[in-house]
Amino acid sequence: MSTIDRISRLAARHRLGEAIHQQHLGNHAAASRLYSEAIVAYPPMSSGALYRRSEMYQQLGQYDAALCDLNRILLSHPHDVRALLLRSVIRWQHQRRYNEAIADLTLIVSSLDCNNAVAFCHRGVCYQRLRRYDEAFADFNEALLIEPESLMAHTHRGLAHQECHQHLPAIEDFERALDIEPVSAAAYCYMAYSYRSLGQHMTAINNYNRALELQPNNTSALTGRAFSSACDGHHELALKDYAKVLELESEPQPSVLLSRAFSLEALGRWSEAIDDLQQAERILSAAISNNNESDEQCAMLWLFRGQAHRALGHWEQAIADLERYSHLSHRSDPRGFVELGAVLHEQGLTEQAQEHFSQAKRLLPAGTVELTRAIRAYRN
C-alpha cells in the first residue's frame, strides 16, 4: 500500500469515527456530511460508511435515501448479506414491497447463508403479509430449527396462527416468546387476544393486566382489556379504560369510539353513545375522502347508531342508519333486518316489519338463538 493510500485510509477511518460519534449525539446533518467525506476519502472502505449511513437514514425514516446507499453497496458487492438483509427489511417493513424483499432474502438463504435464521424469519413475515401461510410457517419453522430461542420467529409464527384462527398453537408460541423475553408487553397482548377470541375473557384480562404492569400506558392493552371487560358485562370498567385510551391518543381512533359507544348503549346512555358515533363518523368520512374507507367500521357505526336512535324514538334517523348498514353489509347480515323490523313494528307498520323479519330469518345461520328469539318476540 502506498503512503497516499495509507493517509487516505486513516482519513476515512477518522471521518467514519467522527460520523458515528455525531450520529450518537443526534447531530444527523453533521454525521451525514462526515459519512460522505469518509466515502470519498478512501473508496475501498466506502461500503462500511454507506452501510452506517443507510442505518441512520432508516432510523430517521428516510427510506429512499437508505435504499440508495444500500444499492450503491450491492452494485459493487452484490453478495453483501448485511446490505441485502437491511434492504429487505426496509422494503417489507416500511414500503410493503414484499416480493422484492422475498427476492433479497431468498438470495441469502439459498446461495449465501443457508443458516441465516433472521433471513428465514423476515421472509416468513413477508409471506405472512401476503397471506401465503404455508410458506410463512415453513420459514418460521426453519428459523426455529436454526435458532430455537428466536423471539421474532415465535412471535410472528404466533401471529400467523392467529390470522388462521389457530389460537391454541398461537398461545403456545406466545408463551415460548415470554419464556425468552419475560418483559414483552406485546407478547402478553397477543396472547390475551387469542384467549379473548376463545371466549376466555378473564384469562385475557389477566394477560392484559400483565402487559399494563410492564407498560401502564399501553393503549393496545387498555383497549383489549376494555373489550374483554365489556364482553363479560363489566361496561363501567370498560368505559374507564376507553377514557384513558382517548386521553393518551393524540387523535381518537374510530374503533375505540365505536367500542365505547357499544358499552354506553349497554348502560342505556344512548345520547352519549350517539356523540361518540358522530365523532367516529367524522373521522371515517375524512378517511373515506382519502381512499382509506373501512367498510366494517362504517357498518358497525350505522348499526350502533341506528340502535341508539331507535332506543330514543328517533325513528327516521334509526331507519336511515339501519338501511345504510344493510346496504353496506350487502344485505347479508340478519341484524340489520331485525333492527329495521323492530323500528317498523314499534311504529305500528306490522306488514313491513314482518317482511324484514322474514328476510332476517332466511339469513340466520343454524343455531343463532339470540336473533331467532328477537324475531319471535317482535312477531308476537
Side-chain angles (χ1 to χ4, degrees), residues 33-50:
R33 175 178 55 79
L34 287 161
Y35 281 129
S36 297
E37 291 177 5
I39 292 162
V40 172
Y42 191 61
M45 288 177 54
S46 64
S47 61
L50 284 165

Side-chain angles (χ1 to χ4, degrees), residues 226-237:
F227 188 92
S228 283
S229 294
C231 288
D232 253 8
H234 303 301
H235 294 286
E236 293 288 0
L237 292 175

Side-chain angles (χ1 to χ4, degrees), residues 163-373:
E163 291 171 21
C164 295
H165 308 288
Q166 300 166 356
H167 292 289
L168 292 177
I171 289 168
E172 290 179 9
D173 268 327
F174 298 137
E175 286 177 339
R176 189 72 190 92
L178 286 164
D179 288 338
I180 299 165
E181 182 55 75
V183 293
S184 173
Y188 278 115
C189 286
Y190 297 146
M191 189 157 61
Y193 178 84
S194 278
Y195 278 117
R196 191 177 93 189
S197 299
L198 293 170
Q200 299 180 36
H201 293 291
M202 283 309 303
T203 307
I205 288 169
N206 289 337
N207 279 283
Y208 286 127
N209 288 341
R210 295 294 297 276
L212 290 164
E213 287 171 10
L214 296 167
Q215 295 178 0
N217 290 336
N218 185 312
T219 54
S220 294
L222 287 165
T223 303
R225 185 172 70 177
F227 188 92
S228 283
S229 294
C231 288
D232 253 8
H234 303 301
H235 294 286
E236 293 288 0
L237 292 175
L239 291 178
K240 289 180 182 179
D241 279 341
Y242 288 135
K244 187 170 182 180
V245 171
L246 291 169
E247 286 175 11
L248 291 168
E249 291 181 335
S250 55
E251 294 290 336
Q253 295 298 313
S255 59
V256 176
L257 293 166
L258 287 168
S259 296
R260 187 168 73 167
F262 173 79
S263 284
L264 288 167
E265 290 190 4
L267 294 169
R269 294 160 62 175
W270 304 104
S271 296
E272 293 172 77
I274 288 174
D275 289 341
D276 271 359
L277 295 167
Q278 306 282 46
Q279 187 179 3
E281 185 176 44
R282 287 193 292 272
I283 298 167
L284 287 169
S285 296
I288 290 167
S289 67
N290 291 320
N291 297 317
N292 293 317
E293 180 174 0
S294 173
D295 284 355
E296 185 178 353
Q297 288 185 333
C298 286
M300 296 315 297
L301 186 156
W302 291 323
L303 176 64
F304 289 167
R305 194 169 62 185
Q307 291 170 329
H309 281 309
R310 174 192 152 206
L312 293 171
H314 303 158
W315 309 120
E316 289 184 7
Q317 295 98 316
I319 290 170
D321 278 339
L322 292 168
E323 284 182 342
R324 291 169 83 184
Y325 170 74
S326 292
H327 175 74
L328 194 58
S329 61
H330 305 292
R331 307 185 73 79
S332 61
D333 187 332
R335 288 176 295 181
F337 290 105
V338 171
E339 291 293 334
L340 274 168
V343 172
L344 295 167
H345 179 84
E346 287 161 1
Q347 288 185 288
L349 301 172
T350 306
E351 187 174 337
Q352 291 172 265
Q354 293 293 349
E355 290 176 7
H356 283 83
F357 290 141
S358 296
Q359 181 65 21
K361 185 69 174 177
R362 284 192 290 271
L363 293 169
L364 282 171
T368 312
V369 177
E370 292 80 2
L371 285 174
T372 304
R373 286 176 178 169

